[in-house]
Amino acid sequence: DRMENSFGILIAGRYFGGSNNTAILVVEHVYPGSPAANAGLKRGDTITKVDNATIPSPTSNLQQYYTLRNKLESGTGSITIEGETYDKQTQKDIVYRKSLTAADYLPSPVAHYTVLEFDEAVAKVINPDGKKIGYLSYLGFESEYDAELIEAMEYLAAKGITDLILDLRVNGGGSVNTSTMLGSMLLSEEYVGKTYATLKRNPKNKRIPAEYLNDDCLITKNGLG
């Protein structure tokens, strides 16, 4: 089951320090189709209150800090949050107050993919060779969403990109097979059959048969397997 039932928010690992020993949390990602997305939350928004309670800094009240943070990320029931969001038109921070109720959505780790476009003046500085640069933000090597990853890579390939920015800043790891698949899709056919990674397991672990102690993960032609 690929569905998840929560608010659909990822909170950045680091926080800003507010006044009077308070913490300001930052939204790192909002899953499309989630309650948070439907409420208009977006990456970069800050959260200063949860259910009318100010978020304390971990140094002043560690237990309360994690209680409120876990309320956001566990995503059960309903919650009210307050904070600020940046408005591009006015170029100012706007205070918001939103109520969220947990609901089902697909938490795809393929967060965003596109071909980057630059203004002519900017391109002269950072892309003077006129390369076609793709961008992929990927949140985790989750095999349940391999189809979405393949779709993203096929899109970028069809656009004829010459370079790719692979954004793994939020990625916490996951499936070795999916990692091998992505590596295979990024590399040219001359690498087919070469070692992508070698898994070396503890020989003292009696639960692992001898033939599985060392596994070679090979680059494949079609990116799968």
Side-chain angles (χ1 to χ4, degrees), residues 15-25 47-49 53-61 65:
Y15 65 92
F16 291 107
S19 58
N20 299 321
N21 290 319
T22 59
I24 302 171
L25 302 180
I47 299 173
T48 55
K49 287 186 177 182
T54 302
I55 304 168
S57 67
T59 53
S60 63
N61 191 331
Y65 170 82

Side-chain angles (χ1 to χ4, degrees), residues 116-180:
L116 299 180
E117 296 182 0
F118 307 101
D119 292 335
E120 186 176 349
V122 175
K124 286 181 179 179
V125 178
I126 66 173
N127 191 24
D129 299 328
K131 295 178 179 179
K132 204 163 191 179
I133 304 173
Y135 171 85
L136 170 63
S137 176
Y138 189 44
L139 308 182
F141 294 95
E142 299 176 28
S143 57
E144 297 90 343
Y145 292 91
D146 282 353
E148 282 81 354
L149 179 59
I150 292 170
E151 181 182 342
M153 294 301 296
E154 287 180 339
Y155 171 86
L156 294 171
K159 291 293 184 180
I161 64 169
T162 59
D163 297 78
L164 177 69
I165 295 173
L166 181 58
D167 187 345
L168 302 177
R169 287 177 291 179
V170 187
N171 193 304
S175 165
V176 175
N177 283 341
T178 298
S179 172
T180 307

Side-chain angles (χ1 to χ4, degrees), residues 5-7 70-79 100-102:
N5 186 285
S6 68
F7 305 132
N70 290 340
K71 262 191 178 184
L72 289 166
E73 295 191 306
S74 64
T76 56
S78 297
I79 197 172
L100 307 175
T101 299

